[in-house]
Amino acid sequence: MSSSPTAPVGASSARSDAQKLGLFSNNIWENVSAPDDGDELARTALERHRRTPVAGDRQAKLNATPSSAWHGFYQRNKAAFFQDRKWLKLEFPELFTFLEPEAGEAAIMEVGCGAGNTVFPLAAENRNQSLALYACDYASSAIEVVKSNSLYASPPCGAIQASMWDLSAEPSAASPLPVAEGTLDVLVMIFVFSALHPDQWRSAVQNAFRLLKPYGLLLFRDYGANDLAQLQMKDERYMSERFYIRGDDTRVYFFELDEVASIFAAPQPEHPDSPCFSAVKQDTIRRAHVNRKLERVMYRIFQQLVLRKVAPGRSSDSHATESLP
């Protein structure tokens, strides 16, 4: 990936301006914001969305069984829709310390695993015989896709286990946690939280808290507010502020950066005066994707955080200076 061009950030997607800035010389530019008129274009799009919401009865139906939409998605697309995340080492180097031969016993879970686009790149590079990799999703067809991958049955090192689990479900006999409490070193949530209804956020955060060891890491990446995918939403896709339904009936929320940190500071299940997580690193990723054939520039926005589990009953300040692995 290339750094942003030397011309001012805010490059226009108009063909002539993009040519002047040299945007068509690479496929991806880092740290590039939308054009100077992007704020006005965003306001216009959002006003249109609010005028044409999803009907209330349809919203209720879609929110009642969200896993069915994702089940249908993976039945249709199998493993072909998403590519393995080759950028993991660059964006989340914390993961790869656990793959070293001398790392010792460790456990990493990809929740909302889909086709396993995080767990399989990790499995392919793993050299730690004592590493356990877990993949969970609430769509049964996603788990079938994961189990059909040749790496699942015969990883080069360590072990992989996949199972159905709803991140937002309250733990119970009918919906137990996928691993014992306090087991995981790292929990990966990449483009997962956006599929949840805002009413499910607290239970999802508390479940993540339960799974991780004290000071365990949660790696988060998801859609940012005013991302291209939000602004291009059609009429009757808007459910509430920054919360939409796609054409295939899967839900998606677009986050502000500070909002994510606040969500994960939800109270601990047994210690309501203590937060579940504290942000160690956080950043808004602004990227220009270029279709050179069509001479089109697409401006994407993602929120990315590394969060650390706060020890039970402790304050967020108690581990703020702890170094990352």
Side-chain angles (χ1 to χ4, degrees):
M1 297 179 187
S2 300
S3 299
S4 60
T6 55
V9 169
S12 172
S13 58
R15 181 178 302 175
S16 60
D17 288 348
Q19 287 172 333
K20 290 176 185 177
L21 293 174
L23 290 179
F24 295 135
S25 62
N26 288 292
N27 292 329
I28 298 177
W29 294 97
E30 299 286 351
N31 305 316
V32 177
S33 298
D36 293 335
D37 60 352
D39 288 346
E40 182 58 35
L41 293 172
R43 278 193 293 271
T44 300
L46 297 178
E47 287 171 2
R48 174 176 57 81
H49 296 165
R50 296 182 188 112
R51 290 195 303 268
T52 59
V54 180
D57 56 344
R58 184 161 184 261
Q59 284 201 42
K61 180 180 179 181
L62 292 167
N63 286 325
T65 56
S67 62
S68 62
W70 284 107
H71 176 69
F73 176 91
Y74 286 106
Q75 276 191 319
R76 291 189 301 274
N77 295 291
K78 307 297 181 185
F81 192 84
F82 297 110
Q83 295 182 339
D84 285 347
R85 293 161 178 149
K86 298 178 181 179
W87 45 264
L88 284 170
K89 187 174 290 186
L90 176 66
E91 300 291 355
F92 293 122
E94 301 85 359
L95 279 169
F96 291 81
T97 62
F98 296 98
L99 310 187
E100 297 301 323
E102 67 280 4
E105 287 192 16
I108 297 173
M109 177 182 289
E110 179 185 9
V111 66
C113 64
N117 300 106
T118 292
V119 74
F120 288 126
L122 294 179
E125 290 201 30
N126 181 34
R127 295 179 293 158
N128 179 4
Q129 289 286 1
S130 300
L131 176 65
L133 292 171
Y134 298 95
C136 294
D137 202 290
Y138 67 1
S140 60
S141 54
I143 299 304
E144 292 168 4
V145 171
V146 169
K147 290 184 175 181
S148 69
N149 190 302
S150 59
L151 273 176
Y152 182 79
S154 302
C157 206
I160 307 173
Q161 181 177 326
S163 61
M164 283 186 63
W165 180 56
D166 183 349
L167 170 65
S168 66
E170 292 290 341
S172 65
S175 181
L177 295 174
V179 296
E181 290 196 26
T183 298
L184 300 179
D185 293 277
V186 184
L187 185 61
V188 182
M189 291 187 188
I190 297 178
F191 301 114
V192 172
F193 224 75
S194 53
L196 301 179
H197 190 284
D199 291 346
Q200 298 174 305
W201 289 347
R202 176 174 290 198
S203 59
V205 170
Q206 291 182 337
N207 278 336
F209 175 86
R210 292 182 176 102
L211 292 176
L212 283 162
K213 297 175 181 177
Y215 305 126
L217 295 179
L218 191 152
L219 309 182
F220 178 100
R221 185 171 183 151
D222 224 316
Y223 300 102
N226 291 356
D227 176 56
L228 178 70
Q230 178 184 8
L231 301 183
Q232 289 190 337
M233 285 287 179
K234 297 180 179 179
D235 292 351
E236 298 183 1
R237 296 278 184 258
Y238 176 95
M239 296 207 291
S240 61
E241 199 63 16
R242 288 186 273 118
F243 190 45
Y244 294 79
I245 200 78
R246 298 185 182 93
D248 60 6
D249 288 348
T250 58
R251 305 180 304 191
V252 59
Y253 187 92
F254 297 87
F255 294 92
E256 298 283 2
L257 183 62
D258 291 344
E259 177 182 32
V260 179
S262 177
I263 290 167
F264 281 88
Q268 296 179 11
E270 305 298 329
H271 301 277
D273 293 331
S274 298
C276 285
F277 293 92
S278 180
V280 179
K281 295 192 295 187
Q282 57 186 59
D283 193 20
T284 296
I285 309 296
R286 298 182 185 275
R287 184 170 291 161
H289 290 249
V290 180
N291 185 321
R292 288 189 277 181
K293 182 177 180 180
L294 298 178
E295 294 191 337
R296 182 185 179 201
V297 182
M298 297 161 284
Y299 297 94
R300 304 306 309 270
I301 303 174
F302 308 114
Q303 309 298 6
Q304 184 166 300
L305 296 88
V306 176
L307 302 123
R308 193 187 291 280
K309 175 178 174 175
V310 178
R314 303 282 292 276
S315 72
S316 59
D317 293 332
S318 63
H319 65 279
T321 59
E322 295 280 338
S323 61
L324 292 172

